[in-house]
Amino acid sequence: MLALLTEEQVMLQDMARDLGRKLGLANPADLDTADPGACWQELARAGLLGFRVRDTSGRPTASGVEVAVVSEAMGAALMPVSYVISGVLVPELLAAAAAPDSLQADVAEGRTIIGLAMRADLTGLAAAEELSDAILVGTPGFLTVLARAGGSGEIISVAVDEQNLERLDGAELSLPLYRWRDTRDLALATAGSPPSAEAMDRWLALGLSALSAEMTGAAEAGLRGAIEYSKNREAFGVPIGTFQALQHMAADAYVTCEGLRSTNNHASWAVDEEPVPDALLAARVVKAYASRQMLGVAETAMQIYGGIGQTWEHIAHFYARRVLLNRYLLGDAQLQLAAIADRRLARLSPAAS
């Protein structure tokens, strides 16, 4: 494993950041003019939605490392789309289920936007019998969501009627969450064959790594903004950035972000290169780290801003909101640590020896 990005990955990072500066949210007022559909088409034209489409050898077009690079840039820019859900996990799930090539191409080229039906606690994909309580997540404008059929485990698509959706009061303002008002007449269709348990575990590892990368991007972007502010905001005749207390807060937060990025360098690489149990273990470690630490980084940025950082009109709370949503998607720190403990303890059991 090479811990540093390759030249091509650095170029991808620069391109994704440029797109973020063009399409992301710079202040809360941008919510009124944000166009998720147009943004999604820009990502499609850049080729970022086809990363997990399989090539002729059966391998993804782009690795988990490239996915993490782009996901971090999307989080830093506060893109008004759910790149990880609709641009990474949906294509990966369709590939694992051997969905029709035409459907996979429509998703990769941005012609079709698909979301996911998640369990009520957001810890995983909902089964058909859980749809009445399912939470729908994805890039705004999705007209279909994916779920799993009970028993067989095959991937099913469920048509979405906007009139039958109830918007939930979620923390993340730019990525709304929905629930069905009535699930009695939902149109279900088979989207692919049942993925293997190994494929679903690798799908989960990819999602945990990508969500953690997006949390890193959002939290660190908020921190960098606060640091720049501290260089110009004066108190008692000097920039507040000269105050040692704020310097220590910023330094600790920065080290936390770098630690998460280093941990995710391994986890994102492991997604495609390590045996599935090891890849999932690495991904759970990084998601536990991100879920425990990144909200604190975002809150530190708000504290450095002082009073203005607590106002609705400032962008600082948007970074914290993005971290809050991702913290619970596919399981928070408590769930990940419990799963890590189960894996470690299983190795020590007499049956494993």
Side-chain angles (χ1 to χ4, degrees):
M1 171 192 168
L2 181 64
L4 301 176
L5 298 180
T6 66
E7 183 178 346
E8 290 79 8
Q9 289 166 347
V10 171
M11 293 173 62
L12 172 66
Q13 184 180 62
D14 291 340
M15 183 266 284
R17 287 174 175 174
D18 286 342
L19 274 175
R21 283 188 285 269
K22 175 183 176 183
L23 303 170
L25 302 176
N27 61 74
D30 289 345
L31 271 180
D32 298 332
T33 57
D35 187 344
C39 179
W40 201 245
Q41 293 308 309
E42 289 274 7
L43 297 184
R45 282 191 287 271
L48 302 183
L49 305 184
F51 274 11
R52 301 306 290 182
V53 173
R54 298 324 194 238
D55 60 21
T56 54
S57 68
R59 287 186 63 84
T61 305
S63 72
V65 176
E66 279 92 45
V67 168
V69 165
V70 174
S71 297
E72 183 174 327
M74 298 297 103
L78 294 175
M79 295 286 271
V81 297
S82 186
Y83 176 73
V84 173
I85 297 295
S86 296
V88 176
L89 289 180
V90 164
E92 180 74 6
L93 192 57
L94 292 174
D101 291 342
S102 57
L103 177 58
Q104 295 191 52
D106 284 344
V107 170
E109 294 170 18
R111 291 188 293 270
T112 298
I113 301 176
I114 298 178
L116 294 178
M118 306 287 288
R119 290 195 288 267
D121 59 4
L122 298 176
T123 57
L125 201 62
E129 59 271 19
E130 299 172 314
L131 292 181
S132 60
D133 296 318
I135 295 178
L136 312 187
V137 187
T139 290
F142 60 83
L143 297 178
T144 306
V145 294
L146 300 180
R148 297 195 76 177
S152 68
E154 68 180 357
I155 302 303
I156 57 174
S157 64
V158 188
V160 174
D161 178 3
E162 293 181 4
Q163 303 301 315
N164 191 28
L165 293 182
E166 173 191 359
R167 179 166 178 168
L168 302 179
D169 187 17
E172 183 29 293
L173 303 176
S174 61
L175 300 177
L177 306 177
Y178 297 95
R179 181 176 282 141
W180 277 295
R181 298 180 188 277
D182 188 346
T183 57
R184 287 173 295 182
D185 298 316
L186 295 179
L188 279 60
T190 299
S193 56
S196 66
E198 180 177 286
M200 289 304 297
D201 281 349
R202 203 173 287 281
W203 175 83
L204 178 57
L206 176 67
L208 294 173
S209 171
L211 289 168
S212 299
E214 189 175 49
M215 292 169 77
T216 307
E220 188 176 57
L223 178 65
R224 289 184 182 278
I227 291 173
E228 288 301 312
Y229 176 80
S230 74
K231 296 176 182 178
N232 301 305
R233 174 70 166 90
E234 291 190 358
F236 307 105
V238 296
I240 63 173
T242 62
F243 299 158
Q244 192 175 56
L246 294 187
Q247 291 175 354
H248 281 231
M249 289 168 57
D252 287 345
Y254 178 76
V255 169
T256 299
C257 289
E258 284 299 306
L260 176 56
R261 183 176 290 109
S262 296
T263 306
N264 206 11
N265 284 345
H266 171 68
S268 61
W269 169 83
V271 165
D272 298 305
E273 302 299 335
E274 289 281 78
V276 171
D278 294 337
L280 183 55
L281 178 62
R284 289 194 186 282
V285 168
V286 76
K287 184 57 161 58
Y289 186 155
S291 298
R292 274 200 167 182
Q293 299 296 333
M294 287 302 101
L295 183 59
V297 172
E299 290 174 342
T300 294
M302 294 176 69
Q303 187 174 355
I304 292 173
Y305 277 116
I308 194 174
Q310 320 307 313
T311 63
W312 176 265
E313 292 79 8
H314 200 278
I315 195 65
H317 63 100
F318 272 58
Y319 296 108
R321 289 172 182 276
R322 181 64 59 96
V323 170
L324 267 173
L325 174 60
N326 284 9
R327 184 185 194 181
Y328 293 103
L329 285 172
L330 297 182
D332 62 4
Q334 183 175 355
L335 185 150
Q336 307 306 333
L337 291 172
I340 292 168
D342 288 344
R343 168 81 191 280
R344 296 299 192 192
L345 292 173
R347 289 181 172 180
L348 300 177
S349 68
S353 59

